[in-house]
Amino acid sequence: MTPADGDGRAGRAGRFLRENSLGLVFLLGFLATLAGQLLAGRAELNNDLVSEGLPPVGLLAYATSSDFAVDVTENWQSEYLQFFLYIFGTVWLLQRGSPESKEIGRAGTESDREQRTGTHARADSPRWASAPGWRGVLFSRSLGLVMGGIFLLSWLAQSVTGTAAYNEERLRSLEGPVGWGGYVTSADFWSRTLQNWQSELLAVASMAVLSIYLRQRGSPESKPVGAPHSATGVEG
Amino acid sequence: MRGRRCGGAAVRAAAVSLALAGLGACGVVEERRNAAGAEAVRFEAARDAGRHALLCAALAPGTRDELEETARSGCPEAIRQAVEEDDLPPAGAVRAVDVWGDRARVVLEGDTLFLSRFPGGWKVTAAGCEPRPDRPYRCGVKGG
């Protein structure tokens, strides 16, 4: 290997990191906070177990427990629901003055020319953008469908792992276990679910409205600092 | 093309891993169900044979402490009293075993036991339990 080869490889790696820093930083942040949740959740459960005269659980046992899984999946489902609703909702719903909204009067799925689909697809468009039939329809909605699909799977996982965690707690309290149907109609399931949904919906509403009047210089989530409050669908 | 083949193999590997994990989880639950049921049967056999020291050894530490404090005596004497006062009724055969994580409920013909998994195996956390509508079981022997 020559020094030039090494420099070239380092340069490519540096460029890759710069060009993908948004995804990489958030992915690493996700892993770090998940590890933190694992440690804090285990400590909390062990406090309860020891106070009841029961043996504490090890880190691996907690990482594979329903207690940890339900706490993780209840947050996942609400985040993916938030993005699913935002992606589908912003097709039809508008907010005057918000960079999160399309311009007033453009509600709907828009024309093939505006969306560069069908015969209006260009040479650099994805292949399925010009595909006729179900492939074109599917690709045109793929982002929302995948987000919605992950939401449903996470919510199902929350219900299954929640049933197990809830029943383990009921047996600890000398109560009989319930089935999946009993759990998904229980206060525990809906309390966990709705406490997450309300915060996600509040965050979306805040973002849509606050971004009318406030700015973040350099962020594509904000209008340019000098853009008028009335400008809709303008990103910085 | 190579990427796509690799992706397919990765999906297949993930599916096989998930299936094996699912089967493994089922195996673990079945193993725990059998072990909890067997411990309940041993507990009831010791009760029927009047082997109070064995009954004490089968109790979870917190349950044994609570029993001794309530009876103001050592565990074997306290458990003898519990049997005499019908706090631990004759149980009969096992009807159902429910296992969720490290907890279990064993329903027998004449009694219901609650157990927890300890490093040395399953221990009885509550015995002589009767169901009550919309409330926890009432148990003759239980932890604090």
Side-chain angles (χ1 to χ4, degrees):
Chain A
M1 189 179 79
T2 66
D5 288 340
D7 288 349
R9 207 166 294 162
R12 278 196 299 276
R15 200 175 73 182
F16 176 81
L17 289 176
R18 272 195 307 280
E19 292 179 354
N20 296 282
S21 56
L22 185 61
L24 289 171
V25 165
F26 277 87
L27 188 61
L28 287 174
F30 158 70
L31 293 174
T33 49
L34 187 67
Q37 183 190 344
L38 180 67
L39 297 175
R42 178 191 168 222
E44 185 192 10
L45 178 63
N46 280 346
N47 284 343
D48 291 345
L49 292 176
V50 169
S51 72
E52 292 173 27
L54 297 170
V57 295
L59 199 59
L60 183 62
Y62 182 69
T64 55
S65 72
S66 55
D67 197 82
F68 180 58
V70 69
D71 286 351
V72 169
T73 52
E74 76 171 58
N75 284 282
W76 284 9
Q77 60 88 357
S78 66
E79 301 301 334
Y80 282 101
L81 173 67
Q82 179 192 50
F83 279 105
F84 166 71
L85 290 178
Y86 209 31
I87 291 162
F88 267 100
T90 49
V91 173
W92 298 98
L93 305 176
L94 304 172
Q95 180 62 56
R96 184 179 293 280
S98 176
E100 299 297 319
S101 166
K102 296 193 286 190
E103 290 162 28
I104 304 301
R106 288 190 62 196
T109 52
E110 303 181 11
S111 66
D112 277 356
R113 190 175 55 79
E114 287 168 309
Q115 289 291 314
R116 300 179 204 167
T117 50
T119 55
H120 296 277
R122 299 175 186 175
D124 60 353
S125 296
R127 203 150 47 89
W128 280 30
S130 58
W134 66 270
R135 286 183 301 163
V137 171
L138 188 67
F139 185 66
S140 297
R141 291 153 183 81
S142 54
L143 182 60
L145 288 174
V146 167
M147 289 293 184
I150 297 175
F151 154 65
L152 288 176
L153 287 175
S154 304
W155 201 22
L156 177 67
Q158 179 201 330
S159 73
V160 171
T161 56
T163 303
Y166 185 64
N167 279 338
E168 188 166 359
E169 202 173 310
R170 282 181 68 88
L171 292 182
R172 257 167 59 197
S173 309
L174 308 182
E175 293 175 277
V178 299
W180 180 81
Y183 181 67
V184 295
T185 53
S186 73
D188 186 84
F189 177 70
W190 285 103
S191 171
R192 282 178 177 274
T193 296
L194 294 175
Q195 70 170 313
N196 281 283
W197 287 4
Q198 59 85 12
S199 63
E200 305 305 339
L201 294 173
L202 175 67
V204 170
S206 305
M207 186 65 189
V209 174
L210 291 177
S211 58
I212 299 172
Y213 304 104
L214 305 177
R215 306 286 186 273
Q216 186 63 49
R217 188 175 184 134
S219 172
E221 302 305 312
S222 163
K223 291 190 277 195
V225 178
H229 292 332
S230 59
T232 307
V234 181
E235 294 187 343
Chain B
M1 259 331 264
R2 198 171 64 184
R4 287 178 67 184
R5 272 206 303 273
C6 182
V11 168
R12 277 197 298 277
V16 169
S17 302
L18 278 176
L20 288 175
L23 286 173
C26 286
V28 167
V29 169
E30 195 54 37
E31 194 180 302
R32 289 184 183 185
R33 185 175 288 131
N34 291 338
E39 186 55 39
V41 168
R42 272 195 295 275
F43 184 84
E44 295 303 337
R47 179 223 172 267
D48 294 343
R51 302 182 69 178
H52 301 135
L54 266 184
L55 283 173
C56 288
L59 293 177
T63 306
R64 198 167 55 227
D65 291 348
E66 182 70 17
L67 183 69
E68 289 174 341
E69 274 180 35
T70 306
R72 294 173 190 275
S73 63
C75 181
E77 175 56 24
I79 207 128
R80 189 189 61 76
Q81 280 178 29
V83 173
E84 276 182 8
E85 291 167 11
D86 216 24
D87 284 338
L88 283 179
V94 173
R95 280 187 171 169
V97 181
D98 298 296
V99 172
W100 293 94
D102 290 337
R103 321 289 155 223
R105 178 186 68 168
V106 181
V107 181
L108 302 110
E109 283 171 355
D111 194 6
T112 297
L113 304 184
F114 287 87
L115 300 97
S116 281
R117 208 162 65 94
F118 282 73
W122 289 92
K123 299 280 184 187
V124 176
T125 51
C129 300
E130 290 176 10
R132 294 181 293 181
D134 299 323
R135 294 179 66 189
Y137 278 71
R138 177 187 285 119
C139 299
V141 173
K142 63 175 181 176

